């Protein structure tokens, strides 16, 4: 197969940042995706409908003039989020979920939630209005090995959460382990997961290949090969509750290549080619469209996109870096060649 025509895909998990960084990265996603789910972990985080409205305007301002790309937003759940805010979000028309960051789990999660039981009323209101909870699924307990934090999260938090809120719709974001795959396969119709390109393409050896590789560091961290295989099997099974969320998370070169480097991999410049490579590696290219363009929209209860995009087998070389405000951004696969390319129809 040398050509794929797909319903236009959506990216259900992306960090677009703000200001000059937003201006630098937004066009990469807008060129390909029909909708982008902008994560709310700005500084300060996007915790209210009015802050989200303002952020949405800034995103719209950063998109190329004739784009059809639509930004959707997620609100950052805090222990002070009110039921009234949930109801306002549900009526906003552009906020389609709340993001749960366990406090301290990842970039800009300081204002996240330390004890989800303090959000009972709010979670109840979300279940009632159908707004899903988008979960960063890692425990923050320093006693738990960093490679085990997702699997431990399932037992310590996710199962109890769904037991106390059986009607809450939950998206287990950027899953990385066999345990998470099996959890989704065994869960009800209201529970889904997003999967990133890096977790389909790399195992944890990529962090240490010939030396420390900061541009392969993200959270949740890359795992063992057996877990990557489990993710590949999940997407190659055509299961409708695994769908695309790049978790493209740009950080400047200087903050990545540092003594305490930031977590986040930038993949928006090549998202579809990277996923196509992963699907092709397991002979599942024909299942890419469901994962990339159908299942996410279906889960969110939104229409599938009308436009189509075309992917062709044509090699191209990823630039060494992209401008990023006054800094530079090192993309995934910098200076390397990709086999697939998106072209306009
Ligand atoms: C994300 C970021 O930089 O905002 N980083 C990452 O490694 N994925 C935050 C997140 O999604 O955990
Ligand atoms: Zn993320």
């Amino acid at each position: 197969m040398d050509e794929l025509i797909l319903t236009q895909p959506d990216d259900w998990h992306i960090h677009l940042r703000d200001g000059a960084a937003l201006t630098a990265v937004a066009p990469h996603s807008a060129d390909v995706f029909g909708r982008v789910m902008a994560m709310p972990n700005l500084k300060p985080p996007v915790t209210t409908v009015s802050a989200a409205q303002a952020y949405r305007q800034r995103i719209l301002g950063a998109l190329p003039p004739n784009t059809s790309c639509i930004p959707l937003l997620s609100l950052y759940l805090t222990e002070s989020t009110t039921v009234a805010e949930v109801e306002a979000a549900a009526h906003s028309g552009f906020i389609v979920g709340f993001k749960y960051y366990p406090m301290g789990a990842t970039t800009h999660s300081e204002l996240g939630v330390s004890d989800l039981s303090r959000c009972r009323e709010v979670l109840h209101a979300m279940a009632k209005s159908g707004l899903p909870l988008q979960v960063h699924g890692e425990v923050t307990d320093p006693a738990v090995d960093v490679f085990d934090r997702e699997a431990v999260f399932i037992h310590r938090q996710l199962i109890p959460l769904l037991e106390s809120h059986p009607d809450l719709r939950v998206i287990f974001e950027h899953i990385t382990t066999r345990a998470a795959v099996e959890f989704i396969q065994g869960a009800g119709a209201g529970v889904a997961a997003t999967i990133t390109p890096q977790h389909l393409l790399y195992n944890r050896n990529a962090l240490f290949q010939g030396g420390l590789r900061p541009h392969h560091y993200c959270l949740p961290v890359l795992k063992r090969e057996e877990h990557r295989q489990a993710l590949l099997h999940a997407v190659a099974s055509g299961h409708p509750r695994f769908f695309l969320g790049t978790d493209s998370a740009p950080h400047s070169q200087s903050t990545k290549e540092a003594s305490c480097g930031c977590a986040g991999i930038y993949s928006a410049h090549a998202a579809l080619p990277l996923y196509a490579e992963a699907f092709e590696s397991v002979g599942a290219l024909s299942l890419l469209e469901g994962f990339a363009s159908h299942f996410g929209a279906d889960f969110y209860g939104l229409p599938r996109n009308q436009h189509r995009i075309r992917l062709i087998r044509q090699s191209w070389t990823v630039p060494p870096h992209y401008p990023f405000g006054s800094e530079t951004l090192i993309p995934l696969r910098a200076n390397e060649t990709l086999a697939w390319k998106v072209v306009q129809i």
Side-chain angles (χ1 to χ4, degrees), residues 287-338:
L287 295 168
L288 179 62
E289 184 179 34
F291 173 83
S293 316
H294 296 163
F295 303 153
D298 296 351
F299 188 82
Y300 275 100
L302 295 168
R304 295 176 182 179
N305 291 318
Q306 296 291 315
H307 295 152
R308 300 193 158 256
I309 61 148
R310 191 162 151 245
L311 261 172
I312 57 168
R313 191 184 301 283
Q314 185 184 104
S315 66
W316 61 286
T317 304
V318 175
H321 46 73
Y322 289 105
F324 192 59
S326 56
E327 306 222 37
T328 51
L329 172 61
I330 308 291
L332 185 58
R333 294 274 172 88
N335 289 315
E336 290 181 50
T337 299
L338 293 177

Side-chain angles (χ1 to χ4, degrees), residues 249-263:
H251 291 274
S252 67
Q253 181 174 10
S254 63
T255 58
K256 293 285 293 173
E257 298 172 8
S259 61
C260 184
C262 292

Side-chain angles (χ1 to χ4, degrees), residues 13 15 17 41 99 101 106-107 136 174 217-219 247 249 251 263-265:
H13 183 134
H15 300 271
R17 311 301 192 207
N41 63 333
K99 182 70 188 281
Y101 289 106
T106 188
T107 308
H136 183 109
H174 41 51
Y217 174 55
C218 65
L219 286 171
D247 195 22
H251 291 274
I265 292 177

